[in-house]
Amino acid sequence: MRVEVVVSRFCLIFLLTAFNYVKSEGTLYIELLRYQNDTCGGFIQDSGFCDYSVALSIETVVFRGYSLLKTKERYQLTPLGGTFISTQYDIKFFDLTNLGPLPNPIPIKVTRGSANFTFVVDNALEQIFETTYTFDLGALMPDVKVPQHDGFNNTGIFDFTYKLECDRNFAGPGCLECKDGMFGMRCEVRCEENMNFTCHPDTGNKICRDHHHGDECEKYCEDTENYTCTKYGNKLCSYPFIGEECNKETTCLENRFGSSCDITCSPLPGQFLCSENGTRVCEGHFTGPDCDSCTENHYGPHCNITCVPHPTRYTCSFEGARVCKRGWTGEQCAQCGDSWFGENCDTYCEISNRHTCTDQGQKVCLGNWNPATNCSSCTKHFYGNNCQVYCKKEFGRWKCNKTTGEKICLPLTNRAGENCTECKQDYYMDEKTLTCRYCKETESYSCGDAGEKRCKDSWYGEDCTTQCLETTRNSCHPKHGTMICKSYYAGKDCQGCIDRHYGETCDVYCVETKRNDCNATTGEKVCKKDYFGPNCQTFCDTSSSFYSCDSFGIKTCKGKRNITTDCELCDEDWYGANCDTHCVISHPRTQCAQNGSLICVEGWAGEKCSECAPNWYGSTCDGSGWSWYDDSGTCKKTCDMFCVDMMNFKCSKDGILEMNPEFAGLWYNDYYELKVTGIITGFVLVYLVSVLVLYKLCFVWYPAKESI
């Protein structure tokens, strides 16, 4: 047996909402067939957790006049013969074809819009499951039966059919159209086109074709120069024409008639015209000697309001308005008034909180009122003023109050509550055994939902007898209450710190290294010699002669040293071992030595570097050698020629290597041979000197300048 699908009762709820129109346009027929549920072998039984009650509810919402009327009908159908239908697979069905006082198929009057059909199962555990079927009436073809076979929330299978039938003169999908030849809001106006008229597509009123006149467009009349045609097709003569056909001429003045022209008649088209002798000829629905009365069934100042009394529905007032007879209501007296039902609205049935009425005026009990007692008492298992309290005696749990239906819990169960699902004071429900367990709260424990002891704060153990106070240093074992030190704490009552942790909360971590020691109380790092910073991470040599260290290990250069070189080199223009000698180059011929003294650049010598150094020559400005002048004509002394005396040659004042005078008198037999030899030797010497100068420039002077 599947406990989760045990059904105590099921309900069918129809929710139908009408839009815009009072009169229904069709009828939706719901035919119930069967509901599958194989619990307890398919039988309806009166005990245990099997199905024991089957009920059907219908809730309809319709418009009557301008008020919204809701009715809810309930039919108790148990037992449905107490039988079931068995298929080849032994599937059990409840037969729903016999609905007792309710017709099957169930006719539901509907209007434009949609209808909701809700199938509801309410099981023994008071769980409600429902599935809603929505019908779009505009999509339903009339007179087509549609079968429905649907699974329902894993509890069973529900079979039913539905069919839409159109009322009276309605047709088409959803009964939203009028039949051929019928028009109007309710398809009550008949109009069939012919040669004389067409039909208005909405109202069905006759629209006369050209030259056709009258209520039925039965008169033909075409305007001429003698007359014009009235809306009723009569000829209105143009002066001076008179006569029925307006083919005679009068000598009287306009609107004067008779042989003596002494009869006055002024025509009023639509009410009367004038004959050739001056008498009034009534038009339309006017009558009487003066055409001032309406014909039968016509009313109003223009006698254009038609009202034909209906034998059963209405009479007509002096103004031509319909006066509904007893039982009828509405502007057209086309629907039943409140509490009137039947084809002719002649059956009186007043709806009450105990019953409603069918379309034929038959009383139908609402809710759980018993049809067998004319809705004067409740059906079986229902109690209370409105028979809304359900109570069925359950063995071992409760019995029912015969008047109110209140469940009276049995004493030995220690139960209480509306459905005896709760326990008495100091008793708690054990969901495993479904019994009420005794438990009374104390200072060390409270009671749980099942009556179990729940230790209060700081109390532990099976009977909550061990006390353990949680602090910032310790927690307590959730079962037996043993003290457990929290992170970083250790020792008796967790009053000490674990290894390498210090401070009041033991959350200061410190490890002794070559850089630092640890304060035994606070755990603060104490930096060793030459280490600085919060974590002693900065090294600074306090014995350095180049710089000093502050408390953060930041270096401060001594003297005029450059911090970017870690204080190893001097600042610009400062020299010496301690960078305390200041030297500034004052002339292009001077430079600073490593000790800070001012010395001459290469090629120059003397106290003021104004003389050429040994082996260096240049412009003399004294006439003894060549001279060089700037743009202003001032002679500029230079020492940019390097020259070294050789064995047979000597440097001139200009730095040019010349032949030694000692060899000036040397005679060669062949003058020209000596001259050529001298020229070649000169070129060789120039080449050697050039190589020597380039070597000095590239490998001595230029690298030295780059290093400065």
Side-chain angles (χ1 to χ4, degrees):
M1 180 179 71
R2 296 178 300 169
V3 177
E4 67 275 13
V5 299
V6 172
V7 179
S8 64
R9 60 185 180 276
F10 70 83
C11 302
L12 304 180
I13 298 178
F14 304 86
L15 179 59
L16 305 175
T17 304
F19 301 93
N20 300 330
Y21 295 88
V22 175
K23 193 63 178 177
S24 62
E25 299 165 346
T27 303
L28 182 66
Y29 289 93
I30 306 294
E31 182 179 8
L32 308 183
L33 300 178
R34 60 187 182 180
Y35 171 64
Q36 171 190 328
N37 188 349
D38 56 0
T39 304
C40 298
F43 287 100
I44 299 175
Q45 300 182 11
D46 239 4
S47 62
F49 292 101
C50 301
D51 297 332
Y52 59 82
S53 177
V54 178
L56 177 68
S57 285
I58 299 177
E59 182 176 0
T60 58
V61 180
V62 298
F63 283 102
R64 289 189 179 277
Y66 294 98
S67 62
L68 186 68
L69 175 66
K70 293 185 179 181
T71 62
K72 187 172 183 180
E73 306 166 12
R74 182 183 178 87
Y75 303 93
Q76 195 68 27
L77 307 177
T78 304
L80 299 177
T83 61
F84 63 93
I85 304 172
S86 178
T87 68
Q88 59 179 335
Y89 298 106
D90 198 31
I91 300 176
K92 313 303 187 300
F93 292 93
F94 290 127
D95 185 4
L96 301 179
T97 57
N98 178 16
L99 299 183
L102 187 69
N104 193 20
I106 304 170
I108 306 295
K109 293 293 184 181
V110 297
T111 60
R112 301 183 185 217
S114 63
N116 291 331
F117 171 95
T118 303
F119 181 61
V120 179
V121 171
D122 185 2
N123 66 19
L125 300 179
E126 299 182 357
Q127 297 171 320
I128 297 177
F129 306 96
E130 63 180 41
T131 296
T132 299
Y133 306 91
T134 300
F135 303 94
D136 182 2
L137 300 182
L140 297 183
M141 294 299 296
D143 304 323
V144 178
K145 180 182 288 189
V146 182
Q148 187 76 31
H149 179 78
D150 195 13
F152 183 79
N153 289 300
N154 298 322
T155 63
I157 296 177
F158 178 48
D159 288 335
F160 67 95
T161 66
Y162 57 92
K163 181 177 69 171
L164 179 66
E165 292 185 3
C166 297
D167 290 352
R168 300 194 318 268
N169 299 319
F170 292 95
C175 303
L176 300 177
E177 304 172 1
C178 292
K179 292 183 178 179
D180 292 341
M182 303 304 296
F183 300 88
M185 183 182 296
R186 297 173 181 80
C187 302
E188 293 179 332
V189 179
R190 182 179 298 278
C191 180
E192 297 182 2
E193 295 185 6
N194 57 29
M195 297 179 60
N196 296 347
F197 60 83
T198 60
C199 301
H200 190 281
D202 296 326
T203 64
N205 294 335
K206 296 176 181 177
I207 303 174
C208 295
R209 299 182 187 273
D210 290 344
H211 311 309
H212 287 80
H213 309 272
D215 291 339
E216 301 296 328
C217 306
E218 74 280 4
K219 287 188 178 182
Y220 183 86
C221 179
E222 187 174 355
D223 293 346
T224 68
E225 63 179 4
N226 291 1
Y227 59 83
T228 58
C229 300
T230 68
K231 65 178 181 179
Y232 292 105
N234 297 317
K235 298 175 181 178
L236 176 62
C237 297
S238 302
Y239 183 77
F241 296 99
I242 60 173
E244 184 177 355
E245 298 297 326
C246 301
N247 54 1
K248 299 177 182 180
E249 292 191 30
T250 180
T251 58
C252 296
L253 296 175
E254 188 175 4
N255 297 332
R256 306 288 290 185
F257 299 89
S259 58
S260 302
C261 298
D262 56 349
I263 300 174
T264 301
C265 180
S266 299
L268 292 176
Q271 184 173 351
F272 65 87
L273 302 178
C274 299
S275 66
E276 63 180 292
N277 58 12
T279 60
R280 294 185 177 186
V281 180
C282 297
E283 264 207 318
H285 302 293
F286 285 92
T287 187
D290 296 324
C291 300
D292 56 359
S293 301
C294 297
T295 60
E296 185 180 10
N297 299 331
H298 289 85
Y299 305 86
H302 302 290
C303 297
N304 59 346
I305 299 176
T306 302
C307 179
V308 180
H310 193 277
T312 59
R313 291 164 52 190
Y314 57 85
T315 59
C316 300
S317 68
F318 290 111
E319 292 79 17
R322 294 184 180 184
V323 180
C324 299
K325 293 184 178 182
R326 188 180 72 165
W328 295 91
T329 189
E331 182 180 354
Q332 303 295 325
C333 300
Q335 67 186 73
C336 294
D338 290 343
S339 303
W340 291 92
F341 301 89
E343 293 261 340
N344 296 315
C345 299
D346 55 356
T347 302
Y348 184 80
C349 180
E350 185 176 0
I351 297 174
S352 70
N353 63 341
R354 294 189 176 192
H355 63 81
T356 185
C357 304
T358 66
D359 287 343
Q360 300 303 316
Q362 301 299 317
K363 186 184 295 185
V364 179
C365 294
L366 294 175
N368 303 305
W369 293 97
N370 193 348
T373 62
N374 199 25
C375 309
S376 62
S377 63
C378 302
T379 56
K380 186 178 181 181
H381 303 313
F382 285 90
Y383 305 88
N385 293 333
N386 294 317
C387 298
Q388 293 180 342
V389 180
Y390 178 82
C391 183
K392 181 181 178 182
K393 177 182 178 181
E394 183 171 327
F395 180 78
R397 292 184 66 184
W398 70 72
K399 59 183 179 179
C400 301
N401 184 298
K402 299 301 182 182
T403 302
T404 63
E406 181 184 5
K407 294 176 181 177
I408 303 173
C409 303
L410 300 180
L412 296 180
T413 62
N414 295 317
R415 291 174 176 260
E418 182 179 356
N419 295 311
C420 300
T421 56
E422 304 172 5
C423 294
K424 294 191 300 184
Q425 185 177 2
D426 296 332
Y427 285 85
Y428 298 84
M429 177 65 69
D430 187 339
E431 296 295 341
K432 295 181 179 179
T433 61
L434 297 180
T435 58
C436 293
R437 178 193 297 179
Y438 177 78
C439 179
K440 188 171 181 63
E441 184 177 354
T442 67
E443 65 173 357
S444 62
Y445 64 83
S446 60
C447 299
D449 294 337
E452 74 280 10
K453 294 180 180 179
R454 291 184 177 178
C455 296
K456 295 183 179 180
D457 291 343
S458 75
W459 292 92
Y460 301 88
E462 185 175 355
D463 294 322
C464 306
T465 56
T466 302
Q467 190 173 24
C468 175
L469 296 176
E470 291 190 354
T471 66
T472 57
R473 291 177 170 267
N474 71 278
S475 61
C476 301
H477 191 280
K479 186 174 181 180
H480 46 69
T482 303
M483 184 177 294
I484 301 173
C485 294
K486 294 183 179 180
S487 300
Y488 313 139
Y489 295 105
K492 183 180 180 181
D493 297 331
C494 305
Q495 294 303 309
C497 297
I498 62 176
D499 189 30
R500 297 182 178 180
H501 284 75
Y502 304 85
E504 184 177 352
T505 57
C506 298
D507 57 349
V508 178
Y509 179 78
C510 182
V511 178
E512 293 185 352
T513 66
K514 67 177 182 178
R515 297 183 177 187
N516 66 274
D517 294 323
C518 297
N519 185 290
T521 303
T522 63
E524 182 181 3
K525 291 181 179 179
V526 180
C527 296
K528 294 181 179 181
K529 183 178 181 299
D530 295 336
Y531 288 94
F532 302 87
N535 294 311
C536 305
Q537 75 278 13
T538 303
F539 176 80
C540 186
D541 187 0
T542 56
S543 62
S544 172
S545 60
F546 296 155
Y547 54 82
S548 60
C549 305
D550 64 8
S551 59
F552 296 99
I554 298 176
K555 298 175 181 179
T556 301
C557 294
K558 296 179 180 180
K560 299 296 183 177
R561 295 184 176 275
N562 194 329
I563 191 63
T564 60
T565 63
D566 206 18
C567 304
E568 292 184 2
L569 299 180
C570 297
D571 284 337
E572 186 178 3
D573 297 334
W574 290 89
Y575 301 87
N578 296 320
C579 299
D580 53 358
T581 302
H582 189 255
C583 178
V584 178
I585 298 175
S586 59
H587 194 277
R589 296 195 295 267
T590 62
Q591 64 181 359
C592 295
Q594 290 296 327
N595 59 3
S597 60
L598 192 64
I599 61 175
C600 298
V601 298
E602 188 177 32
W604 294 87
E607 182 179 355
K608 296 183 178 180
C609 301
S610 58
E611 303 296 332
C612 290
N615 298 326
W616 285 90
Y617 303 87
S619 176
T620 61
C621 294
D622 56 2
S624 61
W626 62 275
S627 301
W628 177 80
Y629 299 88
D630 60 11
D631 292 341
S632 62
T634 302
C635 180
K636 298 293 183 180
K637 181 176 177 63
T638 60
C639 294
D640 53 357
M641 296 294 292
F642 181 79
C643 184
V644 180
D645 292 342
M646 301 181 66
M647 180 173 55
N648 296 326
F649 295 89
K650 185 178 181 180
C651 295
S652 68
K653 293 182 179 181
D654 298 329
I656 299 174
L657 195 63
E658 296 178 346
M659 184 178 292
N660 194 326
E662 295 178 2
F663 296 92
L666 183 63
W667 179 260
Y668 287 92
N669 293 328
D670 192 346
Y671 170 78
Y672 294 100
E673 181 180 356
L674 179 62
K675 186 176 181 179
V676 170
T677 303
I679 293 172
I680 294 174
T681 303
F683 274 112
V684 171
L685 291 174
V686 170
Y687 173 77
L688 292 175
V689 170
S690 299
V691 170
L692 179 61
V693 171
L694 289 175
Y695 173 80
K696 296 283 282 184
L697 289 175
C698 295
F699 297 101
V700 177
W701 179 78
Y702 185 79
K705 182 178 181 181
E706 285 295 310
S707 65
I708 294 175

